[in-house]
Coordinates of all heavy atoms in Angstrom, one line a residue:
M235 N -20.7 44.6 -17.7 CA -19.4 43.8 -17.6 C -19.1 43.4 -16.1 O -19.4 44.2 -15.2 CB -18.2 44.5 -18.1 CG -18.0 44.4 -19.5 SD -16.4 44.9 -19.9 CE -16.5 45.3 -21.5
H236 N -18.7 42.2 -16.0 CA -18.3 41.7 -14.6 C -16.9 41.9 -14.4 O -16.0 41.7 -15.3 CB -18.7 40.2 -14.4 CG -20.1 40.0 -14.6 ND1 -21.0 40.3 -13.6 CD2 -20.8 39.5 -15.6 CE1 -22.2 40.0 -13.9 NE2 -22.2 39.4 -15.1
P237 N -16.5 42.4 -13.2 CA -15.1 42.6 -13.1 C -14.4 41.2 -12.9 O -15.0 40.3 -12.5 CB -15.0 43.3 -11.7 CG -16.3 43.1 -11.1 CD -17.3 42.8 -12.2
Q238 N -13.1 41.2 -13.4 CA -12.3 40.0 -13.4 C -11.9 39.6 -11.9 O -11.5 40.5 -11.2 CB -11.0 40.1 -14.2 CG -11.3 40.1 -15.6 CD -11.2 38.7 -16.3 OE1 -10.8 37.8 -15.6 NE2 -11.7 38.6 -17.4
A239 N -12.2 38.4 -11.5 CA -11.8 38.0 -10.2 C -10.4 37.7 -10.2 O -9.8 37.1 -11.1 CB -12.6 36.8 -9.7
T240 N -9.7 38.1 -9.1 CA -8.3 37.8 -9.0 C -8.1 36.7 -7.8 O -8.9 36.7 -6.9 CB -7.5 39.0 -8.6 OG1 -8.0 39.5 -7.4 CG2 -7.5 40.0 -9.8
S241 N -7.2 35.8 -8.0 CA -7.0 34.8 -7.1 C -6.0 35.2 -6.0 O -4.9 35.7 -6.4 CB -6.5 33.5 -7.7 OG -6.1 32.6 -6.8
S242 N -6.3 34.9 -4.7 CA -5.3 35.2 -3.7 C -4.9 34.0 -3.1 O -4.3 34.0 -1.9 CB -5.9 36.2 -2.7 OG -7.1 35.5 -2.0
I243 N -5.1 32.8 -3.7 CA -4.7 31.6 -3.1 C -3.2 31.3 -3.5 O -2.8 31.5 -4.7 CB -5.6 30.5 -3.7 CG1 -7.1 30.6 -3.2 CG2 -5.0 29.0 -3.2 CD1 -8.0 29.7 -3.9
S244 N -2.4 31.0 -2.4 CA -1.0 30.7 -2.7 C -0.7 29.3 -2.4 O -1.5 28.6 -1.7 CB -0.1 31.6 -1.9 OG -0.4 31.4 -0.5
A245 N 0.3 28.7 -2.9 CA 0.7 27.3 -2.6 C 1.1 27.2 -1.2 O 1.6 28.0 -0.6 CB 1.8 26.9 -3.6
L246 N 0.7 26.0 -0.6 CA 1.1 25.7 0.7 C 2.6 25.2 0.8 O 3.1 24.6 -0.1 CB 0.2 24.5 1.2 CG -1.3 24.7 1.4 CD1 -2.0 23.4 1.7 CD2 -1.5 25.8 2.3
S247 N 3.2 25.6 1.9 CA 4.6 25.2 2.1 C 4.6 23.7 2.6 O 3.5 23.3 3.0 CB 5.2 26.1 3.2 OG 4.7 25.8 4.4
A248 N 5.7 23.1 2.6 CA 5.8 21.7 3.1 C 5.3 21.7 4.6 O 4.7 20.7 5.0 CB 7.2 21.2 3.0
H249 N 5.7 22.6 5.4 CA 5.2 22.7 6.8 C 3.7 22.8 6.9 O 3.2 22.1 7.8 CB 6.0 23.9 7.5 CG 5.5 24.0 9.0 ND1 5.9 23.1 9.9 CD2 4.8 24.9 9.5 CE1 5.4 23.5 11.1 NE2 4.7 24.6 10.9
E250 N 3.2 23.6 6.1 CA 1.7 23.8 6.1 C 1.0 22.4 5.7 O 0.0 22.1 6.3 CB 1.2 24.9 5.3 CG 1.6 26.3 5.7 CD 1.5 27.4 4.7 OE1 1.7 27.2 3.6 OE2 1.2 28.6 5.1
I251 N 1.6 21.8 4.7 CA 1.0 20.5 4.4 C 1.1 19.5 5.4 O 0.1 18.7 5.7 CB 1.7 20.0 3.0 CG1 1.4 20.9 1.8 CG2 1.3 18.6 2.7 CD1 2.2 20.7 0.6
D252 N 2.2 19.4 6.1 CA 2.3 18.5 7.2 C 1.3 18.9 8.3 O 0.7 17.9 8.9 CB 3.7 18.7 7.8 CG 4.8 17.9 7.0 OD1 4.4 17.2 6.1 OD2 6.0 18.1 7.3
Q253 N 1.1 20.1 8.6 CA 0.1 20.5 9.6 C -1.4 20.1 9.1 O -2.1 19.5 10.0 CB 0.1 22.0 9.8 CG 1.3 22.5 10.6 CD 1.3 23.9 10.7 OE1 0.8 24.7 9.9 NE2 1.8 24.5 11.9
V254 N -1.7 20.3 7.9 CA -3.0 19.9 7.4 C -3.2 18.4 7.4 O -4.2 17.8 7.7 CB -3.2 20.5 6.0 CG1 -4.6 20.1 5.5 CG2 -3.3 22.0 6.2
S255 N -2.1 17.7 7.0 CA -2.3 16.2 6.8 C -2.1 15.5 8.1 O -2.4 14.3 8.2 CB -1.2 15.7 5.9 OG 0.1 15.8 6.4
G256 N -1.7 16.2 9.2 CA -1.5 15.6 10.5 C -0.2 14.9 10.6 O 0.1 14.0 11.4
A257 N 0.7 15.1 9.7 CA 1.9 14.4 9.5 C 2.8 14.6 10.9 O 2.8 13.7 11.7 CB 2.8 14.8 8.3
G258 N 3.3 15.7 11.0 CA 4.1 16.0 12.2 C 5.1 15.0 12.5 O 5.3 14.0 11.7
F259 N 5.7 14.9 13.6 CA 6.7 13.9 13.9 C 6.2 12.5 14.1 O 6.6 11.6 13.5 CB 7.6 14.4 15.1 CG 8.6 13.3 15.5 CD1 9.7 13.0 14.7 CD2 8.3 12.6 16.6 CE1 10.6 11.9 15.2 CE2 9.2 11.5 17.1 CZ 10.3 11.3 16.3
L260 N 5.2 12.5 15.0 CA 4.6 11.2 15.4 C 3.8 10.6 14.2 O 4.0 9.4 14.0 CB 3.6 11.4 16.6 CG 3.1 10.1 17.2 CD1 4.2 9.1 17.7 CD2 2.2 10.4 18.3
G261 N 3.1 11.3 13.5 CA 2.3 10.8 12.4 C 3.3 10.3 11.3 O 3.1 9.2 10.8
G262 N 4.4 11.1 11.1 CA 5.3 10.7 10.1 C 6.1 9.4 10.5 O 6.4 8.6 9.6
L263 N 6.4 9.3 11.8 CA 7.1 8.2 12.3 C 6.1 6.8 12.2 O 6.6 5.8 11.7 CB 7.4 8.3 13.8 CG 8.2 7.1 14.5 CD1 9.5 6.8 13.7 CD2 8.3 7.4 16.0
I264 N 4.9 7.0 12.6 CA 3.9 5.9 12.5 C 3.7 5.5 11.0 O 3.8 4.3 10.6 CB 2.6 6.2 13.2 CG1 2.8 6.3 14.7 CG2 1.5 5.2 12.8 CD1 1.6 7.0 15.4
G265 N 3.5 6.6 10.2 CA 3.3 6.3 8.7 C 4.5 5.5 8.1 O 4.3 4.6 7.3
S266 N 5.7 6.1 8.5 CA 7.0 5.5 7.9 C 7.1 4.1 8.3 O 7.5 3.2 7.5 CB 8.2 6.3 8.3 OG 9.3 5.8 7.7
T267 N 6.8 3.7 9.6 CA 7.0 2.5 10.2 C 5.8 1.5 9.4 O 6.2 0.4 9.1 CB 6.7 2.5 11.6 OG1 7.6 3.2 12.3 CG2 6.7 1.0 12.2
L268 N 4.7 2.0 9.2 CA 3.7 1.1 8.6 C 4.1 0.8 7.1 O 3.9 -0.3 6.7 CB 2.3 1.8 8.7 CG 1.6 1.8 10.0 CD1 0.3 2.7 9.9 CD2 1.2 0.4 10.4
H269 N 4.5 1.8 6.4 CA 5.0 1.7 5.1 C 6.1 0.7 5.0 O 6.1 -0.2 4.1 CB 5.3 3.0 4.4 CG 6.0 2.9 3.1 ND1 5.2 2.6 2.0 CD2 7.2 3.0 2.6 CE1 6.0 2.6 0.9 NE2 7.3 2.8 1.3
T270 N 7.1 0.9 5.8 CA 8.3 0.0 5.8 C 7.9 -1.4 6.1 O 8.3 -2.5 5.5 CB 9.4 0.4 6.8 OG1 9.7 1.8 6.5 CG2 10.6 -0.4 6.8
A271 N 7.0 -1.6 7.1 CA 6.5 -2.9 7.5 C 5.8 -3.6 6.3 O 6.0 -4.8 6.0 CB 5.6 -2.9 8.7
N272 N 5.0 -2.8 5.6 CA 4.2 -3.3 4.4 C 5.2 -3.8 3.3 O 5.0 -4.8 2.7 CB 3.4 -2.1 3.9 CG 2.1 -2.6 3.2 OD1 1.7 -3.7 3.2 ND2 1.3 -1.6 2.7
V273 N 6.3 -2.9 3.0 CA 7.2 -3.3 2.0 C 8.0 -4.6 2.4 O 8.1 -5.6 1.6 CB 8.2 -2.1 1.7 CG1 9.3 -2.6 0.9 CG2 7.4 -1.0 1.1
V274 N 8.5 -4.6 3.6 CA 9.2 -5.9 4.0 C 8.4 -7.1 4.1 O 8.8 -8.2 3.6 CB 9.8 -5.5 5.4 CG1 10.4 -6.8 6.1 CG2 10.9 -4.5 5.3
T275 N 7.1 -7.0 4.5 CA 6.3 -8.1 4.5 C 6.0 -8.7 3.2 O 6.1 -9.9 2.9 CB 4.9 -7.8 5.3 OG1 5.3 -7.3 6.6 CG2 4.0 -9.0 5.3
N276 N 5.7 -7.7 2.2 CA 5.4 -8.2 0.9 C 6.7 -8.8 0.2 O 6.6 -9.7 -0.6 CB 4.9 -7.0 0.0 CG 3.4 -6.9 0.2 OD1 2.6 -7.6 -0.5 ND2 2.9 -6.1 1.0
Q277 N 7.9 -8.2 0.4 CA 9.0 -8.7 0.0 C 9.3 -10.2 0.4 O 9.7 -11.1 -0.3 CB 10.3 -7.8 0.3 CG 10.3 -6.6 -0.5 CD 11.4 -5.6 0.0 OE1 11.8 -5.7 1.2 NE2 11.9 -4.8 -0.9
A278 N 9.0 -10.4 1.7 CA 9.1 -11.7 2.3 C 8.2 -12.7 1.7 O 8.5 -13.9 1.4 CB 8.8 -11.7 3.8
L279 N 6.9 -12.3 1.4 CA 5.9 -13.1 0.7 C 6.3 -13.5 -0.7 O 5.9 -14.5 -1.2 CB 4.5 -12.5 0.8 CG 3.9 -12.3 2.1 CD1 2.6 -11.5 2.0 CD2 3.5 -13.7 2.6
N280 N 7.2 -12.6 -1.3 CA 7.6 -12.9 -2.7 C 8.8 -13.7 -2.7 O 9.3 -14.1 -3.8 CB 7.9 -11.5 -3.3 CG 6.6 -10.8 -3.7 OD1 5.6 -11.3 -3.9 ND2 6.6 -9.4 -3.8
T281 N 9.4 -14.2 -1.6 CA 10.5 -15.1 -1.7 C 10.1 -16.5 -2.1 O 9.0 -16.8 -2.0 CB 11.2 -15.2 -0.3 OG1 10.3 -15.7 0.6 CG2 11.7 -13.8 0.2
A282 N 11.0 -17.2 -2.6 CA 10.7 -18.6 -3.2 C 10.1 -19.5 -2.1 O 9.2 -20.3 -2.3 CB 11.9 -19.1 -3.8
V283 N 10.8 -19.4 -0.9 CA 10.3 -20.3 0.2 C 8.8 -20.1 0.6 O 8.1 -21.0 0.6 CB 11.3 -20.1 1.5 CG1 10.6 -20.9 2.6 CG2 12.6 -20.6 1.1
I284 N 8.4 -18.8 0.8 CA 7.1 -18.6 1.2 C 6.1 -18.7 0.0 O 5.0 -19.2 0.2 CB 7.0 -17.2 1.9 CG1 7.9 -17.3 3.2 CG2 5.5 -16.8 2.2 CD1 7.9 -16.0 3.9
S285 N 6.5 -18.3 -1.1 CA 5.7 -18.3 -2.3 C 5.4 -19.7 -2.7 O 4.3 -20.0 -3.2 CB 6.4 -17.5 -3.5 OG 5.5 -17.5 -4.5
S286 N 6.3 -20.6 -2.3 CA 6.1 -22.0 -2.6 C 4.8 -22.6 -1.9 O 4.3 -23.6 -2.5 CB 7.2 -22.9 -2.3 OG 7.5 -22.9 -0.9
V287 N 4.4 -22.1 -0.8 CA 3.3 -22.5 -0.2 C 1.9 -22.3 -1.0 O 1.2 -23.3 -1.2 CB 3.0 -21.8 1.2 CG1 1.7 -22.2 1.9 CG2 4.2 -22.1 2.2
G288 N 1.8 -21.1 -1.6 CA 0.7 -20.9 -2.5 C 0.8 -21.8 -3.8 O -0.2 -22.2 -4.3
Q289 N 2.1 -21.9 -4.3 CA 2.2 -22.7 -5.5 C 1.9 -24.2 -5.2 O 1.4 -24.9 -6.2 CB 3.7 -22.6 -6.0 CG 4.1 -21.3 -6.4 CD 3.2 -20.7 -7.5 OE1 2.8 -21.3 -8.4 NE2 2.8 -19.4 -7.3
T290 N 2.0 -24.7 -4.0 CA 1.6 -26.0 -3.7 C 0.1 -26.1 -3.7 O -0.4 -27.1 -4.2 CB 2.2 -26.4 -2.2 OG1 3.6 -26.3 -2.3 CG2 1.7 -27.8 -1.9
F291 N -0.6 -25.1 -3.2 CA -2.0 -25.1 -3.3 C -2.5 -25.1 -4.7 O -3.4 -25.8 -5.1 CB -2.6 -23.9 -2.6 CG -2.9 -24.0 -1.1 CD1 -2.0 -23.6 -0.2 CD2 -4.0 -24.6 -0.7 CE1 -2.2 -23.8 1.2 CE2 -4.2 -24.9 0.7 CZ -3.3 -24.4 1.6
N292 N -1.8 -24.5 -5.6 CA -2.2 -24.5 -7.0 C -2.1 -25.8 -7.6 O -2.9 -26.1 -8.6 CB -1.3 -23.5 -7.8 CG -1.5 -22.1 -7.5 OD1 -2.4 -21.7 -6.9 ND2 -0.6 -21.2 -7.9
L293 N -1.2 -26.7 -7.1 CA -1.1 -28.1 -7.6 C -2.3 -28.9 -7.3 O -2.5 -29.9 -7.8 CB 0.2 -28.8 -7.1 CG 1.5 -28.1 -7.4 CD1 2.7 -28.7 -6.7 CD2 1.7 -28.2 -9.0
L294 N -3.2 -28.5 -6.3 CA -4.3 -29.2 -6.0 C -5.5 -29.0 -6.9 O -6.6 -29.5 -6.7 CB -4.7 -28.8 -4.6 CG -3.7 -29.1 -3.4 CD1 -4.2 -28.5 -2.1 CD2 -3.3 -30.6 -3.4
G295 N -5.2 -28.2 -7.9 CA -6.4 -28.1 -9.0 C -7.2 -26.8 -8.7 O -6.7 -26.0 -7.9
P296 N -8.3 -26.7 -9.2 CA -9.1 -25.4 -9.2 C -9.5 -25.1 -7.7 O -9.5 -23.9 -7.4 CB -10.4 -25.7 -9.9 CG -10.0 -26.9 -10.9 CD -9.0 -27.6 -10.2
V297 N -9.6 -26.0 -6.9 CA -10.0 -25.7 -5.4 C -8.7 -25.1 -4.8 O -8.9 -24.1 -4.1 CB -10.5 -26.9 -4.7 CG1 -10.7 -26.6 -3.2 CG2 -11.9 -27.4 -5.3
G298 N -7.7 -25.7 -5.0 CA -6.4 -25.2 -4.4 C -6.1 -23.7 -5.0 O -5.7 -22.9 -4.2
V299 N -6.3 -23.5 -6.2 CA -6.0 -22.2 -6.8 C -7.0 -21.3 -6.2 O -6.6 -20.1 -5.9 CB -6.2 -22.3 -8.4 CG1 -6.2 -20.9 -9.0 CG2 -5.1 -23.1 -9.0
G300 N -8.2 -21.7 -6.0 CA -9.2 -20.8 -5.4 C -8.9 -20.4 -4.0 O -9.0 -19.2 -3.6
I301 N -8.4 -21.3 -3.2 CA -8.0 -21.1 -1.9 C -6.7 -20.1 -1.9 O -6.7 -19.1 -1.1 CB -7.6 -22.4 -1.1 CG1 -8.9 -23.3 -0.9 CG2 -6.8 -22.1 0.2 CD1 -8.6 -24.6 -0.4
H302 N -5.8 -20.4 -2.7 CA -4.6 -19.5 -2.8 C -5.0 -18.2 -3.2 O -4.5 -17.1 -2.6 CB -3.6 -20.2 -3.9 CG -2.4 -19.4 -4.1 ND1 -1.6 -19.6 -5.2 CD2 -1.7 -18.4 -3.4 CE1 -0.5 -18.8 -5.1 NE2 -0.6 -18.1 -4.0
Q303 N -5.9 -18.0 -4.2 CA -6.2 -16.6 -4.7 C -7.0 -15.9 -3.7 O -6.8 -14.7 -3.5 CB -7.0 -16.6 -6.1 CG -7.1 -15.3 -6.6 CD -7.4 -15.3 -8.1 OE1 -7.9 -16.2 -8.6 NE2 -7.1 -14.2 -8.7
A304 N -7.9 -16.7 -3.0 CA -8.6 -16.0 -1.9 C -7.8 -15.4 -0.8 O -7.9 -14.3 -0.3 CB -9.7 -17.0 -1.3
A305 N -6.8 -16.2 -0.4 CA -5.8 -15.8 0.6 C -5.1 -14.6 0.1 O -4.9 -13.6 0.9 CB -4.9 -16.9 0.9
D306 N -4.5 -14.7 -1.1 CA -3.8 -13.5 -1.6 C -4.6 -12.2 -1.8 O -4.2 -11.1 -1.5 CB -3.1 -13.9 -2.9 CG -1.8 -14.7 -2.8 OD1 -1.5 -15.0 -1.6 OD2 -1.3 -15.2 -3.7
T307 N -5.9 -12.5 -2.2 CA -6.7 -11.3 -2.4 C -7.0 -10.7 -1.0 O -7.0 -9.4 -0.9 CB -8.0 -11.7 -3.0 OG1 -7.8 -12.2 -4.3 CG2 -9.1 -10.5 -3.2
G308 N -7.3 -11.4 0.1 CA -7.6 -10.9 1.4 C -6.3 -10.2 1.8 O -6.4 -9.1 2.5
G309 N -5.1 -10.8 1.7 CA -3.9 -10.1 2.0 C -3.7 -8.8 1.3 O -3.2 -7.8 1.9
F310 N -4.0 -8.7 0.0 CA -3.8 -7.6 -0.8 C -4.7 -6.4 -0.2 O -4.3 -5.3 -0.1 CB -4.2 -7.9 -2.2 CG -4.1 -6.7 -3.2 CD1 -2.9 -6.1 -3.4 CD2 -5.2 -6.3 -3.9 CE1 -2.6 -5.1 -4.3 CE2 -5.1 -5.2 -4.8 CZ -3.8 -4.7 -5.0
V311 N -5.9 -6.8 0.2 CA -6.8 -5.7 0.7 C -6.3 -5.1 2.0 O -6.3 -4.0 2.3 CB -8.2 -6.3 0.9 CG1 -9.1 -5.3 1.7 CG2 -8.9 -6.6 -0.5
V312 N -5.8 -6.1 2.9 CA -5.1 -5.6 4.1 C -4.0 -4.8 3.8 O -3.9 -3.7 4.4 CB -4.8 -6.9 5.1 CG1 -4.0 -6.4 6.2 CG2 -6.1 -7.5 5.5
F313 N -3.1 -5.2 3.0 CA -1.9 -4.4 2.6 C -2.2 -3.0 2.1 O -1.6 -2.1 2.4 CB -0.9 -5.2 1.7 CG -0.2 -6.3 2.4 CD1 -0.4 -7.6 1.8 CD2 0.3 -6.3 3.6 CE1 0.2 -8.7 2.4 CE2 0.9 -7.4 4.3 CZ 0.9 -8.6 3.6
Q314 N -3.2 -2.9 1.3 CA -3.6 -1.6 0.7 C -4.2 -0.7 1.7 O -4.0 0.5 1.8 CB -4.6 -1.9 -0.5 CG -4.1 -2.3 -1.8 CD -4.9 -2.2 -2.9 OE1 -6.2 -2.6 -2.8 NE2 -4.5 -1.7 -4.0
T315 N -5.0 -1.4 2.7 CA -5.5 -0.6 3.8 C -4.4 0.0 4.7 O -4.4 1.1 5.0 CB -6.5 -1.4 4.6 OG1 -7.5 -1.9 3.7 CG2 -7.1 -0.7 5.8
V316 N -3.4 -0.8 4.9 CA -2.3 -0.4 5.8 C -1.5 0.7 5.1 O -1.3 1.7 5.7 CB -1.3 -1.6 6.0 CG1 0.0 -1.1 6.6 CG2 -2.0 -2.6 7.0
E317 N -1.3 0.6 3.8 CA -0.6 1.6 3.1 C -1.5 2.9 3.0 O -0.9 4.1 3.1 CB -0.4 1.2 1.6 CG 0.7 2.0 0.9 CD 2.1 2.0 1.6 OE1 2.4 1.2 2.4 OE2 2.9 3.0 1.3
A318 N -2.8 2.9 2.9 CA -3.6 4.1 2.9 C -3.5 4.7 4.3 O -3.5 6.0 4.4 CB -5.1 3.6 2.6
V319 N -3.6 4.0 5.3 CA -3.4 4.5 6.7 C -2.1 5.2 6.8 O -1.9 6.3 7.4 CB -3.7 3.5 7.8 CG1 -3.3 4.0 9.2 CG2 -5.1 3.1 7.7
A320 N -1.0 4.4 6.3 CA 0.4 5.0 6.5 C 0.5 6.4 5.8 O 1.1 7.3 6.3 CB 1.4 4.0 5.9
T321 N -0.1 6.5 4.6 CA 0.0 7.7 3.8 C -0.9 8.8 4.6 O -0.4 10.0 4.6 CB -0.5 7.5 2.4 OG1 0.3 6.5 1.9 CG2 -0.5 8.7 1.6
A322 N -2.0 8.4 5.1 CA -2.9 9.4 5.7 C -2.3 10.0 6.9 O -2.5 11.2 7.2 CB -4.2 8.7 6.1
V323 N -1.5 9.3 7.7 CA -0.8 9.9 8.9 C 0.5 10.5 8.6 O 1.1 10.9 9.6 CB -0.8 8.8 10.0 CG1 -2.2 8.3 10.5 CG2 0.1 7.6 9.7
G324 N 0.9 10.6 7.3 CA 2.1 11.3 7.0 C 3.2 10.5 6.6 O 4.4 11.0 6.6
G325 N 3.0 9.2 6.3 CA 4.1 8.3 5.9 C 4.5 8.6 4.5 O 3.8 9.3 3.8
P326 N 5.6 8.0 4.0 CA 6.1 8.3 2.6 C 5.2 7.5 1.6 O 4.5 6.5 2.0 CB 7.4 7.6 2.6 CG 7.3 6.5 3.7 CD 6.5 7.1 4.8
Q327 N 5.1 8.2 0.5 CA 4.3 7.6 -0.6 C 5.2 6.8 -1.6 O 5.6 7.4 -2.6 CB 3.5 8.6 -1.3 CG 2.4 9.1 -0.5 CD 1.5 10.1 -1.2 OE1 2.0 10.6 -2.2 NE2 0.4 10.5 -0.7
G328 N 5.7 5.7 -1.2 CA 6.5 4.9 -2.1 C 5.9 3.7 -2.6 O 4.9 3.3 -2.2
P329 N 6.6 3.1 -3.5 CA 6.0 1.8 -4.2 C 6.1 0.7 -3.1 O 7.0 0.6 -2.2 CB 7.0 1.5 -5.3 CG 8.3 2.2 -5.0 CD 7.8 3.4 -4.2
V330 N 5.2 -0.2 -3.2 CA 5.0 -1.4 -2.4 C 4.9 -2.6 -3.4 O 4.2 -2.7 -4.3 CB 3.8 -1.4 -1.5 CG1 3.7 -2.7 -0.8 CG2 3.7 -0.2 -0.6
P331 N 6.0 -3.5 -3.2 CA 6.0 -4.7 -4.1 C 4.9 -5.8 -3.7 O 5.2 -6.8 -3.3 CB 7.4 -5.3 -3.9 CG 7.7 -4.9 -2.5 CD 7.0 -3.6 -2.3
Y332 N 3.7 -5.4 -3.9 CA 2.6 -6.3 -3.5 C 2.7 -7.7 -4.0 O 2.9 -7.9 -5.2 CB 1.3 -5.7 -4.0 CG 0.8 -4.4 -3.3 CD1 0.7 -3.3 -4.0 CD2 0.5 -4.4 -2.0 CE1 0.3 -2.1 -3.4 CE2 0.1 -3.3 -1.3 CZ 0.0 -2.1 -2.0 OH -0.4 -0.9 -1.4
H333 N 2.6 -8.7 -3.1 CA 2.7 -10.1 -3.4 C 1.6 -10.5 -4.4 O 1.9 -11.2 -5.2 CB 2.6 -10.9 -2.1 CG 2.4 -12.3 -2.3 ND1 3.5 -13.1 -2.7 CD2 1.5 -13.2 -2.2 CE1 3.2 -14.4 -2.8 NE2 1.9 -14.5 -2.5
Y334 N 0.5 -9.9 -4.3 CA -0.6 -10.2 -5.1 C -0.3 -10.0 -6.6 O -0.5 -10.9 -7.5 CB -1.8 -9.3 -4.8 CG -3.1 -9.8 -5.6 CD1 -4.0 -10.7 -5.2 CD2 -3.4 -9.1 -6.9 CE1 -5.0 -11.1 -6.0 CE2 -4.5 -9.5 -7.6 CZ -5.3 -10.5 -7.1 OH -6.4 -10.9 -7.9
Y335 N 0.5 -8.9 -6.9 CA 0.9 -8.7 -8.4 C 1.9 -9.6 -8.8 O 2.0 -9.9 -10.0 CB 1.3 -7.3 -8.4 CG 0.3 -6.2 -8.3 CD1 0.6 -5.0 -7.7 CD2 -1.0 -6.4 -8.7 CE1 -0.3 -4.0 -7.5 CE2 -2.0 -5.4 -8.5 CZ -1.7 -4.2 -8.0 OH -2.6 -3.2 -7.8
T336 N 2.7 -10.2 -7.9 CA 3.6 -11.2 -8.2 C 3.0 -12.5 -8.6 O 3.4 -13.1 -9.6 CB 4.6 -11.4 -7.1 OG1 5.3 -10.1 -6.8 CG2 5.7 -12.4 -7.5
E337 N 2.0 -12.8 -7.8 CA 1.3 -14.2 -8.0 C 0.2 -14.1 -9.1 O 0.0 -15.1 -9.7 CB 0.7 -14.6 -6.7 CG 1.7 -14.9 -5.6 CD 2.4 -16.3 -5.8 OE1 1.8 -17.2 -6.3 OE2 3.6 -16.3 -5.6
W338 N -0.4 -13.0 -9.2 CA -1.6 -12.9 -10.1 C -1.5 -11.7 -11.0 O -2.2 -10.7 -10.9 CB -2.9 -12.8 -9.3 CG -3.0 -13.8 -8.2 CD1 -2.7 -13.7 -6.8 CD2 -3.3 -15.2 -8.4 NE1 -2.8 -14.9 -6.2 CE2 -3.2 -15.8 -7.1 CE3 -3.6 -16.0 -9.5 CZ2 -3.4 -17.2 -6.9 CZ3 -3.8 -17.4 -9.3 CH2 -3.8 -17.9 -8.0
P339 N -0.5 -11.7 -11.9 CA -0.3 -10.5 -12.8 C -1.5 -10.1 -13.7 O -2.3 -11.0 -14.1 CB 0.9 -10.9 -13.6 CG 1.1 -12.3 -13.4 CD 0.3 -12.8 -12.3

């Protein structure tokens, strides 16, 4: 018979998680700033005034729709990258109202 192994692993405290993730004060500040900028920028893109630019491209037919979708897709990739960096340096993990999901559900 093999002896039963016992686990000596304990849960990390919030302080230990911050140390491991690199959060700390500066990382948390940078991450929070990036996250907030991401949210505010996407909210601005979702306003009727700014969104109307893409809708105007859509009126140009398939080519206009393609241009609009390419621009929104590129922006979506950038915004997701910014959010990943924000989270990695210790920013909050909150929802982002991505403009892409508003335009291309």
Side-chain angles (χ1 to χ4, degrees):
M235 275 196 201
H236 297 283
Q238 288 271 345
T240 58
S241 175
S242 63
I243 297 175
S244 60
L246 296 175
S247 69
H249 178 70
E250 291 168 326
I251 291 171
D252 284 348
Q253 287 178 327
V254 172
S255 70
F259 173 74
L260 187 58
L263 179 62
I264 292 169
S266 181
T267 301
L268 288 172
H269 173 73
T270 300
N272 212 5
V273 169
V274 169
T275 302
N276 275 279
Q277 287 173 335
L279 290 171
N280 288 333
T281 62
V283 172
I284 295 176
S285 188
S286 67
V287 174
Q289 297 304 318
T290 301
F291 273 97
N292 290 350
L293 296 175
L294 300 175
V297 173
V299 171
I301 292 169
H302 180 195
Q303 189 162 25
D306 283 354
T307 300
F310 182 61
V311 169
V312 169
F313 291 128
Q314 282 191 316
T315 302
V316 168
E317 195 62 19
V319 170
T321 301
V323 298
Q327 293 182 343
V330 176
Y332 290 113
H333 174 69
Y334 185 87
Y335 292 145
T336 302
E337 295 284 322
W338 312 101

